[in-house]
Amino acid sequence: MNTSGKKGYVKPPANPHNEPYVDELNSLFESLHEHDDRSLVLTIAAFAEDTLGLLLLSYLREPKQAKELVNGFNAPLGTFSARIKAAFVVGLMRKDGYQTLEILRKIRNRFAHNWDGVSLDREDIANLMNQLSRSRREEYGVGGAETCEASDRVRLIEKVSDILIDLRMLAKALNKDGTMAPLIMGEMKPVPVELVEVKEFSDDSS
């Protein structure tokens, strides 16, 4: 992904096939340069949480019960943390995606729980940022160097967007192919049970 001269701006991916999920990502990326650090982090995290919800609903069996798990009142998978872990443990996300979103979640919590003096260059947040693996643009050496101030924003946007694009594409593929969690119990043979007659014991306490 290339960057423009705008602070924290990441050029959205092309959308030659008019995919709705790409349009959503484009709309998100186009708006991010207008946000301060707090708004940027909270916005990306909210989009990531929504993406995980869509992915889980695309994969889990029994739509009614799945919605209650993911979106219902006090839903077990209703939080960002629970959705990250669930998507990872059922095999919908690689370890790098899990680690990236966990870092984003921790950064989000730093901003959400403080009302003043929080930015991406604060020491504890910068330490979390340093744990991010390289984005695809960094990996393949595409684009020019960024200023130190902009690079934190751009690096976070690019790395998280790599993961979100993959997850949105997977959710679409699952919906298109009708792939869902396998019914493991349905493929298992019944366990043989041998019934043994037991004589009633007399209550002899002597």
Side-chain angles (χ1 to χ4, degrees):
M1 297 178 191
N2 295 324
T3 55
S4 76
K6 298 177 182 178
K7 175 184 175 183
Y9 180 82
V10 174
K11 185 177 180 180
N15 188 17
H17 303 295
N18 296 317
E19 298 286 1
Y21 75 89
V22 178
D23 284 338
E24 291 177 346
L25 286 167
N26 285 346
S27 178
L28 173 68
F29 294 155
E30 290 284 2
S31 69
L32 288 180
H33 70 278
E34 301 172 354
H35 295 286
D36 60 16
D37 286 355
R38 178 193 295 275
S39 179
L40 179 142
V41 168
L42 296 181
T43 299
I44 296 176
F47 193 88
E49 184 174 337
D50 180 63
T51 296
L52 290 168
L54 292 175
L55 179 61
L56 290 167
L57 289 174
S58 298
Y59 182 68
L60 296 176
R61 303 181 64 85
E62 306 300 336
K64 179 179 182 297
Q65 289 81 358
K67 287 180 181 178
E68 291 173 352
L69 278 174
V70 177
N71 295 328
F73 178 70
N74 287 333
L77 302 181
T79 67
F80 194 17
S81 176
R83 291 181 182 183
I84 293 171
K85 291 178 175 63
F88 180 53
V89 299
V90 300
L92 294 174
M93 183 164 54
R94 296 186 181 93
K95 188 173 183 179
D96 180 61
Y98 168 75
Q99 292 173 334
T100 297
L101 295 186
E102 272 290 286
I103 291 170
L104 173 62
R105 181 185 65 81
K106 292 175 182 178
I107 294 174
R108 188 277 308 266
N109 288 347
R110 298 290 198 282
F111 281 93
H113 298 157
N114 292 273
W115 64 270
D116 187 33
V118 186
S119 67
L120 289 174
D121 58 4
R122 200 176 76 174
E123 184 177 2
D124 59 333
I125 297 176
N127 289 337
L128 288 170
M129 290 282 296
N130 289 334
Q131 297 175 30
L132 289 170
S133 60
R134 296 197 297 175
S135 68
R136 289 170 190 155
R137 185 186 67 82
E138 292 174 312
E139 189 74 27
Y140 297 106
V142 180
E146 299 294 331
T147 65
C148 184
E149 181 180 19
S151 65
D152 285 343
R153 294 170 59 94
V154 171
R155 186 161 171 256
L156 179 64
I157 294 169
E158 288 184 336
K159 182 58 187 178
V160 173
S161 67
D162 286 346
I163 306 302
L164 297 184
I165 289 171
D166 288 346
L167 297 183
R168 289 267 170 164
M169 288 179 64
L170 178 57
K172 183 195 172 189
L174 293 175
N175 285 326
K176 181 179 179 181
D177 300 338
T179 302
M180 62 178 61
L183 182 59
I184 303 299
M185 181 61 74
E187 299 176 358
M188 295 175 62
K189 294 181 179 179
V191 178
V193 177
E194 181 180 355
L195 298 179
V196 179
E197 183 179 356
V198 179
K199 294 182 179 180
E200 183 177 354
F201 292 96
S202 61
D203 185 11
D204 186 1
S205 58
S206 59

